[in-house]
Amino acid sequence: MFDFLADYDLLGAFWVTVQLTLLSAVGSLIWGTLLAAMRVGPVPLMRGFGTVYVNTVRNTPLTVIILFTSLGLFQTFNVTMGSDIIDTTNFRLAVLGLVAYTSAFVCEALRSGINTVPIGQAEAARAIGLNFTQVLTLVILPQAFRSVVGPLANVLIALTKNTTVAAAIGVAEAALLMKEMIENEAQLILISAVFAFGFVCLTLPTGLIMGWVGKKVAVKR
Amino acid sequence: MSSLLYDAQGPRAKRRNVALTVVFIAALAALLWWMYGTLQDKQQLEWAKWKPFFGGTEAWTTYILPGLENTLKAAALAMVIALPLGAVLGIARMSDHAWIRVPVGVVVEFFRAIPVLILMIFGLALYSEYTNVSTDDRPLYAVVTGLVLYNAAVLAEIVRAGILALPKGQSEAAMAIGLRKGQTMRTILLPQAVTTMLPAIVSQVVVIVKDTALGGGVLTFADLIAAVSPMSSYYGANTIASFTVVALIFIAINFALTTFASWLEQRLRRAKKSTGAVLKADDAAVAGTAGAGAGGV
């Protein structure tokens, strides 16, 4: 019953999903933090840019963004992400699209985290003469990060599921393999169960582990 | 909060801000200039490529409006089916009987853990193998099925959080005057919770509208996104123009909904002081353990 599964590289496809998730997670954490810093910073132009970016990207379907990286960035602007192999280019473009999208949500999560830090802390930090960058990086952000582990876990789980959209530009991840297998084999329920199980294995533990970490590191107030 | 992170600016800080602004403008300008140059090279900026959208109605009536109609139809159907289903699941998850509560909990967590696209692919194959839905209708059915399964689970959590956010005294008072559990839920808790949940529900509609794009991008659903490729081949490789117009329509719809959701949230927050907290428009990540949450697709 399960023997046809051996004909397909199931683990390979899920490994691509995991890679997409991890790379995009790191990227969007960095870009999202920068965006959050821009949005609370003293330079009006950067604040404006951050606001416009977040509000636009949040309201754009991820499918549109991912397709744009291929139709727009690759085919029109010739952005190859430093690779001659089309599969590698598509993979990296997908990561770029996922980072662009997810960072908007990371930014919003972080901003709500910044709001949980008592105002007195920022006032005290300013009173001892720290400038904006120091206030943000030494006092506010470390506490903000600890209070938004939960929301960030939700973003990470959503990201894991969103990597399936990369199928739209032909990245060989789980959803694309599932589509191919369903077309070739007459085992709909079994195949679906396998992929559903795969994603449950990826997302449920993330939520549990991050929930535990969140409780552990949260600043008790 | 934001303005509390830095002091009123003195001469040095002001100079530094101006310098940062200049550098930032320069970087943005360089990016725009590069884009402009490339688009110019690829002849994407010629009026001929944009004319179908801004110089006549044919492109709209042939491609865009039918696509938009399908997108909105799928979103509306999904919402109309998922909302009552979600309400039932959400209430069942709070049941006093473990034999209802536990299985429903498993179902809800299961469908929240699986990508919508996987559910849509499953739906498409399901309808072609086991039903005689016509080939033309199958993509719509598949997209709606995927959206319903996923969003019913998310809405169930929203409903549950909305009811749990009500003060305990509400149900205690209802019990004290002798209402049964069903009556308490129907006449006391749900009506109050609905207002609480409204912002979260409206922003879930945004997630649904965004997710319909998957149908056009990966399956063969003739939605707004799917209109891009026939348009750009018919009007002579105007990919960028077609894509921009489609993206702007999506953004406009969702932006309107998002703005409405946060307006609603503020209004409810001001208007209601008695019953529970207003569920935030931003996160449907409510109450659950491993929430689907903020991202949607």
Side-chain angles (χ1 to χ4, degrees):
Chain A
M1 176 179 173
F2 283 96
D3 27 320
F4 72 94
L5 289 176
D7 300 339
Y8 297 92
D9 191 8
L10 255 180
L11 284 179
F14 269 105
W15 175 232
V16 174
T17 297
V18 172
Q19 280 177 308
L20 278 173
T21 309
L22 292 180
L23 288 173
S24 314
V26 173
S28 45
L29 200 59
I30 296 170
W31 179 224
T33 311
L34 284 174
L35 279 173
M38 282 189 204
R39 287 200 72 174
V40 297
V43 184
L45 184 73
M46 288 180 165
R47 272 208 306 270
F49 172 80
T51 313
V52 170
Y53 181 94
V54 168
N55 283 326
T56 313
V57 168
R58 272 202 312 176
N59 289 313
T60 315
L62 178 60
T63 319
V64 169
I65 294 176
I66 297 271
L67 283 176
F68 176 78
T69 63
S70 179
L71 291 174
L73 284 184
F74 177 60
Q75 286 174 21
T76 309
F77 292 97
N78 291 329
V79 177
T80 55
M81 304 295 282
S83 160
D84 299 331
I85 312 156
I86 184 72
D87 285 349
T88 320
T89 302
N90 277 343
F91 176 85
R92 291 180 188 172
L93 285 171
V95 171
L96 187 70
L98 287 166
V99 167
Y101 182 77
T102 314
S103 50
F105 296 93
V106 172
C107 169
E108 288 307 271
L110 261 183
R111 235 160 47 93
S112 70
I114 289 175
N115 284 329
T116 64
V117 181
I119 292 170
Q121 301 240 353
E123 287 171 346
R126 273 163 45 212
I128 60 168
L130 301 186
N131 64 26
F132 169 72
T133 320
Q134 288 169 321
V135 173
L136 197 65
T137 54
L138 297 177
V139 180
I140 306 294
L141 275 186
Q143 300 186 64
F145 266 115
R146 288 169 64 171
S147 67
V148 293
V149 173
L152 282 183
N154 288 333
V155 174
L156 182 63
I157 288 166
L159 171 63
T160 312
K161 296 187 289 176
N162 284 347
T163 55
T164 51
V165 183
I169 59 170
V171 176
E173 46 69 63
L176 198 70
L177 182 67
M178 174 178 170
K179 215 174 157 218
E180 188 197 322
M181 283 171 74
I182 282 185
E183 276 158 19
N184 294 341
E185 311 282 340
Q187 291 276 15
L188 172 62
I189 304 297
L190 182 65
I191 295 171
S192 306
V194 167
F195 281 92
F197 177 73
F199 274 99
V200 169
C201 285
L202 286 180
T203 51
L204 280 188
T206 314
L208 294 177
I209 294 168
M210 294 285 275
W212 178 77
V213 171
K215 275 203 192 93
K216 231 172 148 81
V217 300
V219 184
K220 301 279 184 301
R221 295 206 167 91
Chain B
M1 180 75 206
S2 63
S3 62
L4 290 157
L5 291 178
Y6 46 87
D7 282 307
Q9 287 150 3
R12 255 182 66 202
K14 273 189 182 142
R15 247 176 291 145
R16 201 171 50 225
N17 280 355
V18 170
L20 271 173
T21 308
V22 169
V23 171
F24 201 70
I25 288 180
L28 281 182
L31 184 71
L32 285 177
W33 180 249
W34 169 72
M35 283 171 66
Y36 175 76
T38 320
L39 288 177
Q40 204 60 285
D41 282 352
K42 299 254 173 179
Q43 284 119 35
Q44 288 292 336
L45 291 178
E46 287 166 10
W47 174 236
K49 309 249 171 186
W50 295 79
K51 190 164 166 256
F53 307 110
F54 301 108
T57 53
E58 189 208 62
W60 292 88
T61 49
T62 328
Y63 297 106
I64 295 182
L65 292 180
L68 182 63
E69 193 194 327
N70 274 339
T71 293
L72 294 179
K73 192 159 82 179
L77 276 174
M79 195 63 211
V80 168
I81 305 172
L83 199 54
L85 195 61
V88 170
L89 288 177
I91 293 169
R93 217 187 158 177
M94 293 185 298
S95 165
D96 290 338
H97 310 287
W99 60 272
I100 297 178
R101 191 176 60 230
V102 174
V104 170
V106 170
V107 166
V108 167
E109 289 298 332
F110 177 76
F111 283 112
R112 288 204 312 158
I114 296 175
V116 192
L117 183 56
I118 296 280
L119 294 172
M120 286 183 185
I121 295 174
F122 170 73
L124 194 63
L126 186 76
Y127 289 117
S128 78
E129 270 185 48
Y130 297 107
T131 65
N132 46 11
V133 179
S134 76
T135 326
D136 298 340
D137 289 339
R138 259 181 236 150
L140 175 68
Y141 276 60
V143 168
V144 172
T145 307
L147 289 173
V148 164
L149 290 179
Y150 176 75
N151 289 291
V154 175
L155 286 167
E157 287 301 276
I158 294 180
V159 168
R160 191 165 73 111
I163 291 172
L164 287 180
L166 293 173
K168 251 187 111 193
Q170 297 281 346
S171 51
E172 285 169 355
M175 266 185 271
I177 59 169
L179 296 186
R180 278 179 279 114
K181 274 188 297 187
Q183 287 176 315
T184 309
M185 186 57 78
R186 252 194 341 270
T187 59
I188 309 287
L189 298 180
L190 258 187
Q192 293 186 72
V194 165
T195 42
T196 315
M197 314 184 286
L198 268 181
I201 290 176
V202 175
S203 45
Q204 197 55 33
V205 180
V206 175
V207 175
I208 293 181
V209 173
K210 288 201 285 183
D211 283 355
T212 56
L214 278 172
V218 186
L219 308 182
T220 48
F221 183 45
D223 74 345
L224 200 47
I225 275 285
V228 171
S229 96
M231 268 197 297
S232 64
S233 44
Y234 184 73
Y235 293 114
N238 64 345
T239 324
I240 295 293
S242 315
F243 209 89
T244 310
V245 170
V246 164
L248 285 178
I249 296 174
F250 266 116
I251 294 171
I253 297 171
N254 289 333
F255 194 80
L257 285 170
T258 316
T259 315
F260 177 60
S262 47
W263 173 82
L264 207 60
E265 187 192 324
Q266 299 228 317
R267 204 193 128 99
L268 291 175
R269 197 154 273 170
R270 245 181 315 151
K272 295 186 70 105
K273 294 215 171 82
S274 53
T275 48
V278 174
L279 290 193
K280 264 186 78 179
D282 273 352
D283 43 21
V286 284
T289 45
V297 171

